[in-house]
């Protein structure tokens, strides 16, 4: 049976690794020991005490860490690469940056180890359901080798180009996500203050051309309900928008929306901290507007508030 090592049991890594445990001989490592112990308690997997121990004898090593910097650290300083067999494959599911991935791939190639950047989308719910979309960067043969592993948690796999192409597409998607969250939040804050119930406004928008995942799912489920669950940290979205902005600059592409999103999400991160969820950025809009976006507020039967 193929041996797989998985590194990074975070919000999304944990359910992804859960699917791998049902198909492969799996060893897991995460920085926080209790997470590893909790994972192996209920699944058929080996708890490794270091990245190197997880990598020993693995045919495929999967990483799912906050940024490419941690991937580099775990692979090279953490000793994982030295333990991998020649002709092994590293699949990086981190939403990383294309330039660092190209440098990692070149270093791995010196040892004949392949590399595929394979960031995911679909959120924690998609990971739990095994229905993530995966966007890959790498050679045809490496992406073909990665597919049986990715199939364990993906319902769609797209080969976007050479190493770094998956990370580039992911960053672009994330810039759009950030723009949609902020833009939808600000129009709903204005509507609320104008006396319109935001739930009714969304009923219209979601049957019209202004709709997005933010308007259809994120804001109704998390903002109107005031639940704001933590599934994807705001700090990570801030990182993603920064990657998109760097890509725009490197390619000499004017990107005023990405620039503004980068500024707004960096401010939200410094205001709300490292553990806040990405949708909580809407709290900044609400504070500024002096109005909460919640169902039943701004009823058209009430006079518009003159409060700030
Ligand atoms: P989390 O912050 O929940 O988890 C990150 C993981 O990285 C944890 O396992 C953590 O270890 C580990 N880690 C953090 N710092 C270090 C370090 N210095 N050295 C070694 N390990 C470290 O992130 P997510 O799981 O949410 O996200 C992982 C990646 O997937 C990110 O790039 C993110 O942008 C992307 N992503 C996330 C989605 C989501 O919905 N959450 C959706 C799509 C992509 P430990 O917890 O054990 O301390």
């Amino acid at each position: 049976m193929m041996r797989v090592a998985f590194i990074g049991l975070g919000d999304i890594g944990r359910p992804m690794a859960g699917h791998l445990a049902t198909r492969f001989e799996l060893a897991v490592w995460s920085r926080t020991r209790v997470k590893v112990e909790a994972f192996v308690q209920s699944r058929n997997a080996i708890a490794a005490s270091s990245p190197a121990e997880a990598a020993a004898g693995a045919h495929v090593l999967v990483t799912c860490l906050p940024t490419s910097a941690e991937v580099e650290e775990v692979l090279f300083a953490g000793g994982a690469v030295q333990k991998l067999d020649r002709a092994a494959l590293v699949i990086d599911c981190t939403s990383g940056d294309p330039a660092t991935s190209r440098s990692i791939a070149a270093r791995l190639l010196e040892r004949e180890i392949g590399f595929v950047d394979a960031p995911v989308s679909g959120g924690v719910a998609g990971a739990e359901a095994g229905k993530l979309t995966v966007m890959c960067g790498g050679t045809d043969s490496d992406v073909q080798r990665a597919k049986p592993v990715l199939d364990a948690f993906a319902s769609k796999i797209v080969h976007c180009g050479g190493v770094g192409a998956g990370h580039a597409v992911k960053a672009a998607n994330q810039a759009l996500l950030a723009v949609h969250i902020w833009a939808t939040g600000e129009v709903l804050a204005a509507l609320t203050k104008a006396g319109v119930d935001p739930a009714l406004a969304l009923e219209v928008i979601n049957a019209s051309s202004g709709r997005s995942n933010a308007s259809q799912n994120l804001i109704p489920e998390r903002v109107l309900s005031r639940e704001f669950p933590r599934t994807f940290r705001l700090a990570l979205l801030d990182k993603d928008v920064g990657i998109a902005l760097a890509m725009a600059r490197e390619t000499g592409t004017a990107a005023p929306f990405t620039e503004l999103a980068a500024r707004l999400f960096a401010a939200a991160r410094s205001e709300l901290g490292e553990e806040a969820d990405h949708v909580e950025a809407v709290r900044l809009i609400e504070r500024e507007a002096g109005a909460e976006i919640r169902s039943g507020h701004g009823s058209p039967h009430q006079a518009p508030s003159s409060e700030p």
Side-chain angles (χ1 to χ4, degrees):
M1 194 193 259
M2 196 196 288
R3 289 194 65 172
V4 176
F6 191 95
I7 294 192
L9 299 173
D11 286 338
I12 200 151
R14 195 180 328 112
M16 288 162 64
H19 290 291
L20 292 172
T22 66
R23 296 197 187 186
F24 303 103
E25 199 177 302
L26 185 72
V28 293
W29 180 80
S30 206
R31 183 184 53 171
T32 306
R33 182 74 197 166
V34 287
K35 292 195 182 181
V36 179
E37 281 160 7
F39 184 89
V40 300
Q41 233 167 35
S42 55
R43 294 172 191 86
N44 187 19
I46 298 160
S49 57
S50 66
E53 194 181 306
H59 302 104
V60 173
L61 175 91
V62 183
T63 43
C64 191
L65 297 167
T67 75
S68 292
E70 287 86 20
V71 176
E72 212 164 24
E73 190 184 308
V74 159
L75 288 177
F76 299 103
V81 166
Q82 290 81 344
K83 292 286 178 186
L84 283 176
D85 288 341
R86 280 191 187 271
L89 180 68
V90 172
I91 303 176
D92 181 23
C93 293
T94 305
S95 301
D97 68 89
T100 310
S101 291
R102 284 192 289 269
S103 141
I104 290 173
R107 289 174 74 183
L108 291 174
L109 197 59
E110 289 167 14
R111 305 179 67 91
E112 293 169 35
I113 296 169
F115 178 87
V116 172
D117 46 307
V120 302
S121 72
V124 170
E128 281 166 353
K131 292 191 171 154
L132 292 171
T133 296
V134 188
M135 50 224 92
C136 299
T139 64
D140 285 340
S141 66
D142 284 344
V143 172
Q144 283 309 322
R145 285 163 71 202
K147 274 189 176 160
V149 175
L150 300 174
D151 273 337
F153 47 73
S155 58
K156 188 175 182 68
I157 301 171
V158 181
H159 185 186
C160 299
V163 169
H167 284 154
V169 174
K170 177 67 185 175
N173 180 75
Q174 299 301 93
L176 287 172
L177 168 66
V179 167
H180 291 162
I181 289 172
W182 201 283
T184 310
E186 71 184 26
V187 296
L188 290 176
L191 283 165
T192 302
K193 290 174 81 176
V196 179
D197 181 340
L200 295 178
L202 283 175
E203 202 179 319
V204 175
I205 290 166
N206 288 335
S208 308
S209 46
R211 69 182 181 273
S212 64
N213 182 52
S215 70
Q216 291 181 298
N217 299 306
L218 298 177
I219 293 188
E221 289 165 12
R222 298 164 182 232
V223 179
L224 295 193
S225 67
R226 311 310 292 171
E227 283 178 8
F228 293 104
R230 212 296 287 289
T231 62
F232 173 51
R233 293 188 297 118
L234 173 59
L236 294 173
L237 182 54
D238 173 45
K239 169 261 306 181
D240 291 337
V241 181
I243 295 169
L245 184 56
M247 181 167 70
R249 287 184 177 151
E250 279 158 23
T251 55
T253 312
F257 278 109
T258 309
E259 250 168 50
L260 186 54
R263 190 141 44 84
L264 294 168
F265 278 81
R269 178 181 183 173
S270 75
E271 184 82 14
L272 299 169
E274 294 299 297
E275 297 306 319
D277 184 70
H278 65 306
V279 181
E280 290 188 74
V282 171
R283 291 190 196 276
L284 261 70
I285 299 168
E286 293 181 325
R287 276 184 208 167
E288 186 70 24
E292 281 190 354
I293 302 163
R294 50 164 81 228
S295 292
H297 270 211
S299 156
H301 306 298
Q302 291 168 5
S305 166
S306 58
E307 294 297 312

